[in-house]
Amino acid sequence: MDDFQYKNGQLHCEQVNLDELANRFGTPLYVYSRRTFEDHYDRIAQAFAALEPVICYSIKSCGNVHLCKLLAERGAGMDVVSGGELHRARLAKAEMGKVVYAGVGKTDAEIRQAIEAGIGYFNIESEAEFKNIASIAKAMNARARAALRVNPDVDPKTHVKTTTGKKETKFGVDIERARRFFETFGKDSNLELCAIHLHIGSPVLTVDPYVQAIEKALGLIKDLKQSGHAVSVLDIGGGFGANYQSDQSPVAADYAAKIVPLLLPFKQAGGQIILEPGRTIAANAGMLLTRVQYVKMGGSKKFIIVDTGMHHLIRPAMYDAFHFLWPTNVAPNHEPTQRKAEMDLPGLEKADVVGPICESSDYLAKDRMLPPMARGDLLAVYTAGAYGMVMASNYNAMPRPAEVLVSGAKATLIRRRETYDDLVGPELNVGA
Ligand code: LLP
């Protein structure tokens, strides 16, 4: 599943002891396993190989340049949603023709940068946006390509805040409108409309919503062909799950088993498939390492107060997300045999794990059964590689954590810890 495993009661990332890592780099610390990260990418590439897809890693899930670079070197494209992410893709030396650019609010400046960079596709979210990109391309005397983001109106059965493929979301246009969209814009000479883009939600923990969405998209492509609009590219988006708890998500091969046969005829007729995975690659490849500051009681409730929280990992506060967490150093009978909310081990104690932020929503776990913990102990927050560091903030003027990449027995700092000067730098010497 991943390369975070206990050896004699001590948690390791690949061959590196996490306590040694915490002593060397300090806490809080995001730690990534290179082997897990690359392996997850390779599994997708292998599972979908029959489709020869372009796999555009979704930078928004975990955007450290050094990590993006590992995938670019394996031939991955990138899925970006801002000029900032495009900048990251460039620094990672991703092939620009394999970059897709989504997002409902692209600005003129961002659009120009993307056209200049020669990206593969703009994933278009509205009529107004199409017109704007087409007119910018015209003014630049350039040609760009577009995929229409179609909202297939399927229920991905995920958290309401990460559902995107239902009709009443701000993303994409519905299928009826898609037909009219092609009638209106299908022959634009500066912005070639030749692709369909889907993204139904995240995480999507069953394969059926993909099947439904892809069937609808293929039906649309067939209709469009009959009306003289050739669609040669289908981008099925991201959304594959991760294991926040043991075996929670289908593996790449399970998704592929149903999706590949569905798309093979399209591919065999000369079509190109694009995937935009993020979470399934990054989530289980990273964890957040934190040190216990204090243990206190509040009435009969026990609180373990750590040196990280919602400012560095907002998912529990924002989505009520479950993250397995466990001390890095435990007695042999406390090694977790699986990652679940309910752990069937002796001598556990119920506690909330909370951060230092002045908000009652600042927690990482509630009513969790854990081995007894004391000040100074280290705790690992699992499955934090995706939507962890990228969503971190400086709330309460807290510097963001450092990031370390482990490969075998080697640990490399890939983002230094922020300093107080980093926090106030943009406020100083601003002129008047
Ligand atoms: N493509 C598009 C158009 C997307 O909007 C997303 C994610 C992806 C690809 C990548 O999805 P993934 O493979 O990573 O599931 N912050 C939330 C997740 C938000 C997802 C946003 N869009 C969380 O922490 O669960």
Side-chain angles (χ1 to χ4, degrees):
M1 183 162 95
D2 59 50
D3 292 275
F4 293 95
Q5 303 297 340
Y6 284 82
K7 291 174 197 158
N8 301 321
Q10 171 61 52
L11 185 57
H12 285 69
C13 175
E14 302 194 18
Q15 289 152 44
V16 173
N17 175 325
L18 284 186
D19 288 38
E20 286 174 19
L21 214 53
N23 292 336
R24 182 170 155 206
F25 294 103
T27 58
L29 186 70
Y30 272 101
V31 182
Y32 303 94
S33 156
R34 175 173 175 172
R35 194 165 67 186
T36 306
F37 191 74
E38 292 181 335
D39 180 55
H40 286 174
Y41 173 83
D42 291 347
R43 280 168 196 254
I44 298 172
Q46 279 157 20
F48 286 89
L51 298 175
E52 296 179 65
V54 177
I55 303 175
C56 295
Y57 172 61
S58 197
I59 290 191
K60 71 172 81 63
S61 66
C62 179
N64 186 295
V65 173
H66 300 276
L67 294 172
C68 293
K69 210 172 202 167
L70 296 175
L71 299 187
E73 280 163 5
R74 282 174 135 66
M78 300 283 150
D79 158 38
V80 306
V81 289
S82 67
E85 287 191 352
L86 180 60
H87 189 58
R88 287 185 179 277
R90 277 174 137 157
L91 291 176
K93 301 212 163 42
E95 211 180 298
M96 284 297 121
K98 289 187 185 171
V99 169
V100 294
Y101 186 171
V104 295
K106 305 173 188 83
T107 67
D108 292 4
E110 289 177 317
I111 293 165
R112 270 186 226 107
Q113 285 157 19
I115 293 176
E116 271 161 18
I119 65 158
Y121 293 89
F122 283 99
N123 289 342
I124 305 280
E125 307 260 5
S126 67
E127 290 81 356
E129 186 197 340
F130 188 97
K131 279 190 213 162
N132 190 39
I133 298 180
S135 82
I136 291 174
K138 191 170 181 197
M140 291 172 72
N141 209 6
R143 254 181 93 77
R145 280 183 305 223
L148 175 61
R149 178 162 182 181
V150 173
N151 192 327
D153 198 28
V154 301
D155 186 353
K157 304 207 161 45
T158 189
H159 195 281
V160 63
K161 288 191 182 168
T162 54
T163 292
T164 52
K166 295 270 290 164
K167 226 174 188 169
E168 287 81 22
T169 72
K170 68 175 177 180
F171 300 103
V173 305
D174 60 62
I175 289 207
E176 269 319 303
R177 247 167 86 189
R179 295 191 175 91
R180 292 201 298 278
F181 203 107
F182 272 80
E183 289 305 317
T184 314
F185 300 114
K187 304 280 180 239
D188 193 282
S189 50
N190 294 98
L191 188 54
E192 186 191 350
L193 185 58
C194 55
I196 296 286
H197 173 231
L198 305 169
H199 174 74
I200 52 178
S202 167
V204 184
L205 293 170
T206 56
V207 192
D208 287 345
Y210 284 100
V211 171
Q212 289 168 33
I214 290 169
E215 279 173 347
K216 286 191 181 184
L218 290 173
L220 172 67
I221 290 172
K222 203 169 147 203
D223 286 0
L224 289 170
K225 193 175 175 191
Q226 277 163 6
S227 352
H229 300 290
V231 172
S232 54
V233 179
L234 177 58
D235 178 343
I236 66 165
F240 296 164
N243 287 323
Y244 291 91
Q245 306 204 38
S246 295
D247 303 324
Q248 187 176 26
S249 172
V251 298
D254 298 332
Y255 287 105
K258 286 200 178 167
I259 294 174
V260 169
L262 212 55
L263 289 175
L264 210 48
F266 178 75
K267 143 90 185 140
Q268 283 163 346
Q272 169 73 63
I273 310 293
I274 299 177
L275 308 177
E276 300 175 351
R279 186 192 314 266
T280 194
I281 295 173
N284 288 105
M287 55 170 55
L288 177 57
L289 201 54
T290 180
R291 205 176 277 283
V292 175
Q293 299 301 298
Y294 304 102
V295 179
K296 75 175 258 189
M297 298 302 291
S300 60
K301 213 173 167 69
K302 187 163 106 178
F303 291 95
I304 296 171
I305 303 165
V306 295
D307 64 2
T308 191
M310 68 183 295
H311 50 319
H312 298 152
L313 181 66
I314 203 174
R315 303 190 72 258
M318 192 156 168
Y319 314 114
D320 303 314
F322 175 90
H323 282 264
F324 181 75
L325 41 80
W326 207 253
T328 57
N329 193 288
V330 290
N333 68 344
H334 273 160
E335 280 192 20
T337 46
Q338 51 177 355
R339 301 169 188 174
K340 294 265 183 218
E342 303 297 330
M343 297 290 284
D344 190 17
L345 295 172
L348 302 185
E349 296 173 358
K350 192 185 272 188
D352 282 12
V353 179
V354 302
I357 299 293
C358 300
E359 299 262 358
S360 48
S361 56
D362 179 26
Y363 69 94
L364 295 172
K366 279 193 169 160
D367 292 328
R368 196 69 65 78
M369 296 303 286
L370 290 168
M373 297 205 67
R375 177 170 165 78
D377 286 352
L378 287 165
L379 195 67
V381 186
Y382 286 61
T383 323
Y387 305 107
M389 184 62 175
V390 285
M391 294 178 82
S393 77
N394 293 122
Y395 189 34
N396 283 195
M398 298 276 189
R400 281 179 291 179
E403 293 181 294
V404 164
L405 179 64
V406 170
S407 180
K410 196 169 154 227
T412 312
L413 189 65
I414 55 170
R415 181 183 165 102
R416 67 163 171 78
R417 187 173 302 285
E418 286 177 345
T419 64
Y420 293 149
D421 283 341
D422 289 330
L423 298 184
V424 293
E427 296 160 38
L428 302 180
N429 304 320
V430 283

